Amino acid sequence: MVARSERSELGELRIANEVVAVIAGLAATEVEGVAGMSGGIAGGIAEMLGRKNLAKGVKVEVGEEQAAVDLFVVVDYGVRIPDVAWKIQDNVKNAVESMTGLDVVEVNVHILGVHIPPEERSEEQRVK
Amino acid sequence: MKQIDKVFILIASALTLAWSAALFAVALGWNAGPPLSVTLITLYNRTWETVVVAGVLLLIAVHLAGLVLRRGEEKAVVTETDLGRIRISFRAIENLVCRTVRGIKGVRDLDVKVLPRSGGVDIQIALIVEPGAVFTALADEVQQKVVQAVGETGGIVAGSVAVKIKAVASMARTRLE
């Protein structure tokens, strides 16, 4: 699906929705404290996506000149969640605007889970 | 949920939907061909029963599809900023509380429930404690650390933290599950 189509003297520029979603996903995961994007809840735990599935944790709505982004993320344990969320909003807005020229009017951040590092878990339970 | 589970559920939903549609068609007088009639024959000339069965199948199909397609609009604490909304899901708060409380000496295991409250959340914690733990002191520590963690890490006001001692763990810790 094409998010944006622009015509210049030399031809047409088209940006797919998927591309906007990947830019937003990458910008979000760059923020310190973000453990990863989330595909939703599975078995009571926020499902964390790998870096290959960045666009799956992102929902974009794109108009002629504006875009709204929803990001579903898991944060690291110990970080201050509101601070991380603000940084995500800022980073995503800057990245999408600078790369696509779209005006990002809304960046909604959904914190679906808190990631506990595996080494901490293994201390509590060595075998299953 | 794994991708393959989602695919199977969607297939089951589609098949149930098709079955439901076929039954509705039968109720409206459609005469199914030989292969379908084997499945549908028992309901011929029983319009109301057919409609009821078709309706139930339709509900099942919609429910199955909803399991896969519905994006978790689960309960969350919502904050508005200039750039949009920040939603911290109750599940994330539960993760945070679990990790915080598990680190307290004397706690073996716990269950956490987060409830909505005007301007924040209420938290209910059921503890399994180590033998020898002093309940009142432990409950005080749990309450303080949870309020602190939720406030500092989540920026969320915990209106109340109810602690229930559910059980005292047995002395011998099991090595395997």
Side-chain angles (χ1 to χ4, degrees):
Chain A
M1 197 169 175
V2 176
R4 191 178 191 209
S5 178
E6 202 174 275
R7 179 163 279 285
S8 70
E9 284 176 15
L10 284 173
E12 200 178 23
L13 166 68
R14 290 174 170 219
I15 303 169
N17 276 359
E18 171 89 357
V19 172
V20 179
V22 170
I23 293 169
L26 266 172
T29 50
E30 276 173 9
V31 174
E32 202 174 322
V34 173
M37 304 305 291
S38 176
I41 303 296
I45 296 167
E47 192 179 22
M48 205 156 74
L49 301 166
R51 286 184 71 84
K52 284 181 183 171
N53 290 315
L54 287 172
K56 282 190 182 165
V58 185
K59 203 170 87 181
V60 291
E61 283 175 48
V62 184
E64 286 285 307
E65 290 175 353
Q66 295 184 327
V69 184
D70 279 81
L71 297 125
F72 300 84
V73 300
V74 176
V75 295
D76 286 324
Y77 174 75
V79 298
R80 210 179 118 68
I81 297 171
D83 291 350
V84 172
W86 291 328
K87 280 181 196 159
I88 291 171
Q89 288 183 319
D90 208 36
N91 220 28
V92 168
K93 182 178 165 68
N94 288 338
V96 174
E97 285 185 348
S98 64
M99 289 182 78
T100 66
L102 287 160
D103 179 24
V104 177
V105 291
E106 201 172 82
V107 181
N108 299 318
V109 180
H110 306 254
I111 310 292
L112 293 189
V114 175
H115 177 64
I116 315 286
E119 59 268 27
E120 285 194 32
R121 283 197 202 122
S122 62
E123 276 173 22
E124 291 166 8
Q125 195 174 8
R126 289 164 58 88
V127 283
K128 256 194 181 173
Chain B
M1 193 182 296
K2 288 179 184 171
Q3 210 61 33
I4 191 75
D5 297 332
K6 290 180 181 175
V7 170
F8 283 137
I9 290 175
L10 277 179
I11 290 170
S13 172
L15 289 173
T16 314
L17 190 65
W19 192 9
S20 166
L23 286 178
F24 273 123
V26 166
L28 292 171
W30 176 53
N31 190 4
L36 258 181
S37 60
V38 175
T39 321
L40 302 173
I41 195 84
T42 52
L43 288 166
Y44 279 139
N45 302 320
R46 293 184 193 171
T47 309
W48 283 111
E49 289 92 327
T50 311
V51 168
V52 170
V53 174
V56 170
L57 289 173
L58 180 65
L59 288 176
I60 292 170
V62 170
H63 178 72
L64 286 175
L67 286 178
V68 175
L69 302 176
R70 186 173 49 219
R71 170 75 83 162
E73 266 298 303
E74 49 173 347
K75 288 179 185 168
V77 175
V78 183
T79 315
E80 294 281 344
T81 69
D82 291 344
L83 274 175
R85 284 189 308 278
I86 296 171
R87 300 179 86 257
I88 303 177
S89 75
F90 281 12
R91 214 171 287 268
I93 300 170
E94 284 169 11
N95 291 162
L96 180 62
V97 172
C98 271
R99 173 61 188 79
T100 303
V101 177
R102 270 185 216 282
I104 297 173
K105 197 180 172 196
V107 174
R108 175 73 67 89
D109 203 358
L110 74 154
D111 291 323
V112 181
K113 195 172 179 186
V114 177
L115 302 166
R117 170 201 180 96
S118 172
V121 292
D122 286 327
I123 298 170
Q124 294 176 351
I125 301 170
L127 294 177
I128 298 177
V129 300
E130 299 281 0
V134 180
F135 294 166
T136 49
L138 184 61
D140 278 349
E141 191 179 353
V142 167
Q143 286 171 325
Q144 281 172 18
K145 289 200 169 162
V146 167
V147 169
Q148 190 182 0
V150 170
E152 287 179 2
T153 308
I156 297 162
V157 177
S160 72
V161 180
V163 179
K164 176 183 167 190
I165 309 293
K166 192 168 75 171
V168 178
S170 59
M171 293 293 280
R173 190 167 188 164
T174 53
R175 287 174 56 83
L176 298 170
E177 250 183 22

